[in-house]
């Protein structure tokens, strides 16, 4: 017996329905009551087959609109249902929208882009690439909060020679004066890099027993090294260490550990403290002015292209307004000095082609 499942497509069902329809038309006129009943049954089955075909086609159209997303709006098929920061009903309801990413320098919007994915982690690399498309090269210095701190993002910035002042999760917790790391967490175990083994809080060596690989949504491969204790039976700290049966097995991501260490050194340096303090008044202040001073809290159009056009006009107006404000405060000399700086940077860029851009990213 052949138990393989056959995956039907709308074209296959259309062909089958056409053959059945032709067969019914060429059949002789029924004469008996049983033949008439059988003919009605076949016609009913043909209608059900056509209904299944239409439903399957509709389902395939939904999948084409979804692509890699989990939802989309019927009125704006490029928008994705997300949880918004402004939740008037306070019930966590989702609304169709876009994930807006902006990059600023001196509170001027220098780049922006829209993404259908609500997760900031997955938007950083394509946003940095869009910046390169706009300015002809990647940014040299990137400052972002912990929502962007992932191994994939750190790897991309390291491979492209960027200074990544990007926080990771638990970075703020580590900076607290009373912070004490949990000694029973796998990432806090002592690790001997030369001989590739870990030491548990009880002092027992945990030898490497294998490697596990996973893939992110974008296809990036993450590698986890697995270590297992030899004998956990009778350990006085077992009740605090783990609750599973047998010996404890842990998984460590060594690449992410190295990236976090580099990020911690940069963030805690004198330059890092400066960037961390500046970031709070850079993109967040821009969003605050846009939302609350200009009351721009929702897009006025449907479709990604129109929404992007909508925000483009706002970004132009915002930068002009910011420039006029600076001119009123500092006089016309500020504009002359700024234009002179732009011309100098442009000439040096053409000569050396290595201008450094500072990105403060926020969503």
């Amino acid at each position: 017996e052949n138990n393989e499942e056959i995956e039907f497509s709308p074209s296959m069902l259309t062909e089958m329905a056409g053959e059945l329809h032709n067969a019914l038309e060429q059949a002789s006129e029924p004469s008996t009551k049983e033949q008439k009943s059988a003919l009605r049954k076949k016609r009913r089955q043909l209608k059900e087959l056509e209904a299944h075909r239409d439903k399957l086609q509709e389902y395939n159209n939904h999948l084409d609109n979804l692509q890699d997303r989990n939802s989309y709006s019927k009125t704006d098929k490029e928008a994705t249902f997300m949880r918004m920061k402004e939740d008037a009903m306070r019930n966590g309801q989702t609304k169709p929208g876009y994930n807006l990413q902006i990059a600023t320098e001196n509170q001027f919007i220098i780049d922006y882009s829209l993404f259908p994915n609500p997760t900031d982690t997955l938007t950083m690399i394509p946003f940095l690439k869009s910046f390169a498309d706009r300015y002809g090269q990647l940014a040299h210095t990137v400052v972002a909060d912990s929502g962007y701190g992932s191994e994939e993002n750190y790897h991309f910035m390291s491979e492209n020679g960027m200074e990544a002042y990007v926080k990771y999760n638990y970075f703020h917790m580590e900076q607290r004066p009373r912070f004490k790391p949990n000694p029973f967490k796998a990432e806090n175990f002592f690790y001997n890099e030369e001989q590739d083994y870990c030491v548990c809080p009880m002092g027992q060596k945990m030898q490497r027993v294998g490697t596990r690989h996973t893939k992110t949504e974008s296809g990036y491969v993450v590698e986890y090294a697995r270590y297992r204790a030899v004998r956990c039976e009778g350990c006085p700290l077992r009740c605090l260490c783990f609750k599973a049966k047998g010996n404890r097995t842990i998984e460590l991501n060594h690449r992410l550990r190295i990236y976090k260490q580099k990020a911690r050194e940069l963030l805690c340096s004198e330059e890092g403290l400066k960037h961390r303090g500046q970031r709070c008044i850079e993109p967040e202040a821009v969003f605050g002015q846009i939302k609350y001073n200009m009351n721009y809290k929702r897009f006025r159009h449907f479709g990604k292209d129109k929404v992007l056009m909508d925000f483009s006009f706002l970004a132009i107006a915002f930068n002009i307004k910011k420039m006029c404000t600076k001119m009123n405060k500092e006089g016309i000399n500020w504009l002359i000095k700024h234009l002179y700086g732009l011309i100098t940077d442009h000439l040096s860029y053409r000569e050396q082609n290595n201008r450094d851009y500072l990105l403060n990213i926020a969503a």
Side-chain angles (χ1 to χ4, degrees), residues 249-264:
T249 302
I250 63 173
E251 293 184 346
L252 295 179
N253 187 340
H254 293 305
R255 285 189 296 187
L256 181 59
R257 175 177 58 83
I258 295 172
Y259 286 139
K260 283 184 176 180
Q261 184 178 354
K262 290 181 179 178
R264 189 185 305 112

Side-chain angles (χ1 to χ4, degrees), residues 46-56:
L46 178 60
K47 288 185 177 180
E48 291 178 357
L49 181 62
E50 291 175 344
H52 284 304
R53 176 202 60 194
D54 297 338
K55 204 67 180 176
L56 181 60

Side-chain angles (χ1 to χ4, degrees), residues 7 21 57-58 60 74 81 99 175 181 242 261 272 313 332 337:
E7 186 175 349
H21 186 73
Q57 183 62 50
E58 181 184 354
N60 288 344
K74 290 183 179 180
F81 278 89
N99 189 352
Q175 303 307 307
F242 75 114
Q261 184 178 354
F313 283 118
I332 194 65
K337 182 180 178 182

Side-chain angles (χ1 to χ4, degrees), residues 290-307:
I290 290 174
K291 287 184 177 180
Y292 300 103
N293 295 351
M294 299 180 178
N295 199 26
Y296 188 87
K297 297 183 179 180
R298 62 169 55 195
F299 298 118
R300 274 76 169 175
H301 297 84
F302 295 95
K304 186 176 179 180
D305 292 338
K306 293 182 179 179
V307 169

Side-chain angles (χ1 to χ4, degrees), residues 236-359:
L237 300 178
R238 182 187 175 111
C239 58
L240 299 174
C241 190
F242 75 114
K243 298 181 180 179
K245 295 181 180 180
N247 298 322
R248 181 173 182 182
T249 302
I250 63 173
E251 293 184 346
L252 295 179
N253 187 340
H254 293 305
R255 285 189 296 187
L256 181 59
R257 175 177 58 83
I258 295 172
Y259 286 139
K260 283 184 176 180
Q261 184 178 354
K262 290 181 179 178
R264 189 185 305 112
E265 293 174 357
L266 284 174
L267 290 166
C268 294
S269 64
E270 185 177 350
E271 191 71 16
L273 293 173
K274 175 185 174 183
H275 287 311
R276 283 164 54 189
Q278 188 69 18
R279 191 204 161 275
C280 301
I281 58 175
E282 272 284 342
E284 304 301 342
V286 172
F287 271 120
Q289 294 175 40
I290 290 174
K291 287 184 177 180
Y292 300 103
N293 295 351
M294 299 180 178
N295 199 26
Y296 188 87
K297 297 183 179 180
R298 62 169 55 195
F299 298 118
R300 274 76 169 175
H301 297 84
F302 295 95
K304 186 176 179 180
D305 292 338
K306 293 182 179 179
V307 169
L308 191 62
M309 174 200 66
D310 189 350
F311 187 79
S312 299
F313 283 118
L314 176 75
I316 294 171
F318 180 88
N319 288 341
I320 293 174
K321 179 176 178 291
K322 177 66 66 175
M323 184 179 66
C324 293
T325 303
K326 283 186 172 292
M327 288 175 60
N328 288 333
K329 287 184 178 180
E330 303 179 22
I332 194 65
N333 292 330
W334 175 87
L335 180 60
I336 297 173
K337 182 180 178 182
H338 185 68
L339 291 175
Y340 177 78
L342 289 175
I343 294 171
T344 305
D345 290 340
H346 178 68
L347 292 176
S348 62
Y349 168 74
R350 292 185 63 181
E351 293 176 358
Q352 303 175 8
N353 196 22
N354 64 345
R355 180 181 175 185
D356 296 346
Y357 285 93
L358 170 63
L359 259 69

Side-chain angles (χ1 to χ4, degrees), residues 1-161:
E1 294 182 0
N2 188 6
N3 295 326
E4 293 184 4
E5 295 183 358
I6 300 175
E7 186 175 349
F8 290 98
S9 63
S11 58
M12 293 172 60
L13 296 181
T14 301
E15 186 177 352
M16 292 170 59
E19 292 177 356
L20 291 174
H21 186 73
N22 293 334
L24 290 177
E25 286 184 347
Q26 295 174 4
S28 58
E29 195 70 25
S31 57
T32 63
K33 185 176 181 181
E34 290 79 9
Q35 291 177 347
K36 292 180 180 179
S37 177
L39 181 61
R40 286 195 298 269
K41 183 178 180 181
K42 290 180 180 178
R43 288 175 177 172
R44 185 167 60 251
Q45 290 175 345
L46 178 60
K47 288 185 177 180
E48 291 178 357
L49 181 62
E50 291 175 344
H52 284 304
R53 176 202 60 194
D54 297 338
K55 204 67 180 176
L56 181 60
Q57 183 62 50
E58 181 184 354
Y59 185 74
N60 288 344
N61 292 337
H62 286 313
L63 291 178
D64 292 338
N65 291 325
L66 276 173
Q67 296 180 354
D68 297 331
R69 299 176 292 168
N70 58 2
S71 63
Y72 73 91
S73 173
K74 290 183 179 180
T75 55
D76 185 359
K77 295 182 180 180
E78 294 179 296
T80 307
F81 278 89
M82 308 177 187
R83 283 188 171 85
M84 304 296 175
K85 292 182 179 179
E86 288 81 12
D87 187 8
M89 302 297 293
R90 297 183 180 180
N91 56 0
Q93 62 179 345
T94 58
K95 296 178 182 178
Y98 297 92
N99 189 352
L100 173 63
Q101 301 285 325
I102 67 169
T104 66
E105 186 172 1
N106 297 324
Q107 292 192 4
F108 284 91
I109 301 175
I110 59 176
D111 194 16
Y112 51 88
S113 187
L114 297 170
F115 296 93
N117 195 317
T119 307
D120 290 337
T121 308
L122 299 175
T123 63
M124 187 171 199
I125 294 177
F127 184 58
L128 292 175
K129 290 181 179 178
S130 72
F131 180 87
D133 294 338
R134 188 184 297 270
Y135 293 101
Q137 69 175 42
L138 289 167
H140 178 266
T141 306
V142 179
V143 184
D145 62 10
S146 58
Y148 303 88
S150 68
E151 180 190 340
E152 184 178 3
N153 293 339
Y154 285 133
H155 177 76
F156 177 83
M157 289 183 285
S158 177
E159 289 292 313
N160 290 278

